[in-house]
């Protein structure tokens, strides 16, 4: 597998360091959850680890089990805190070029609040 170089100046790293603001929903020692600046659904939040991980390839390879468990737990909390838990929702994590990942810091999108439609459009 190709080595992933983490860019400490990516926008989510700046949010974690408090250099730029975010609309925070939830935080724990290992994760931060905030509202997407360009929501694609009535509920659209981003769950990120505080550690420096480029994407799910990187996170699943290098993160401790504690960090990985905290990430999953944060997704579960986000579903409850936003109310998405009731009606259903989608979790997406884009990886690399084929995945159309724009920000090179691992994030899970949680989308809900209405029907999110098919898994992909062709
Ligand atoms: P992706 O294509 O999976 O990398 O998605 C990146 C997401 O980050 C997009 O949905 C953007 O709207 C969102 N985003 C970019 N900058 C910010 C920001 N400053 N605060 C909140 N969300 C952001």
């Amino acid at each position: 597998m190709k080595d992933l170089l983490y860019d400490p100046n990516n926008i989510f790293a700046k949010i974690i360091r408090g250099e730029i603001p975010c609309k925070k929903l939830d935080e724990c020692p290992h994760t931060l959850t905030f509202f997407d600046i360009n929501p694609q659904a009535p509920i659209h939040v981003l769950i990120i680890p505080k550690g420096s991980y480029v994407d799910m390839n990187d996170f699943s390879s290098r993160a401790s089990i504690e960090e990985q468990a905290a990430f999953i737990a944060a997704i579960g909390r986000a579903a409850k805190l936003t109310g998405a838990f009731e009606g259903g929702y989608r979790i997406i994590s884009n990886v690399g070029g084929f995945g159309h990942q724009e920000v090179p810091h691992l994030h899970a999108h949680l989308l809900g609040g209405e029907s999110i439609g098919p898994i992909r459009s062709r």
Side-chain angles (χ1 to χ4, degrees), residues 1-10 52-55 58 62 101 103-105:
M1 194 176 74
K2 175 172 89 168
D3 258 1
L4 296 166
L5 253 190
Y6 182 80
D7 169 13
N9 289 318
N10 78 76
S52 302
Y53 301 103
V54 175
D55 60 18
D58 192 19
R62 292 197 301 115
Q101 180 179 5
V103 178
H105 181 110

Side-chain angles (χ1 to χ4, degrees), residues 12 34-38 46 94 100-103 107 109:
F12 293 170
F34 52 95
F35 289 86
D36 196 290
I37 206 167
N38 183 22
L46 301 170
N94 297 321
H100 288 227
Q101 180 179 5
E102 286 171 15
V103 178
H107 49 284
H109 298 255

Side-chain angles (χ1 to χ4, degrees), residues 19-74:
E19 293 167 10
I20 63 167
C22 71
K23 192 173 164 204
K24 184 165 86 177
L25 175 72
D26 180 50
E27 186 171 13
C28 83
H30 292 300
T31 67
L32 179 66
T33 299
F34 52 95
F35 289 86
D36 196 290
I37 206 167
N38 183 22
Q40 302 298 309
I43 297 170
H44 187 176
V45 295
L46 301 170
I47 301 100
I48 68 174
K50 289 182 177 173
S52 302
Y53 301 103
V54 175
D55 60 18
M56 189 55 84
N57 289 342
D58 192 19
F59 187 69
S60 59
S61 304
R62 292 197 301 115
S64 68
I65 293 302
E66 193 180 333
E67 289 173 294
Q68 297 194 36
F71 188 64
I72 295 295

Side-chain angles (χ1 to χ4, degrees), residues 40 89-92 111 114-122:
Q40 302 298 309
Y89 54 92
R90 181 168 297 152
I91 304 292
I92 301 169
L111 297 152
E114 67 181 15
S115 173
I116 303 304
I119 190 78
R120 64 175 295 198
S121 55
R122 290 175 185 265

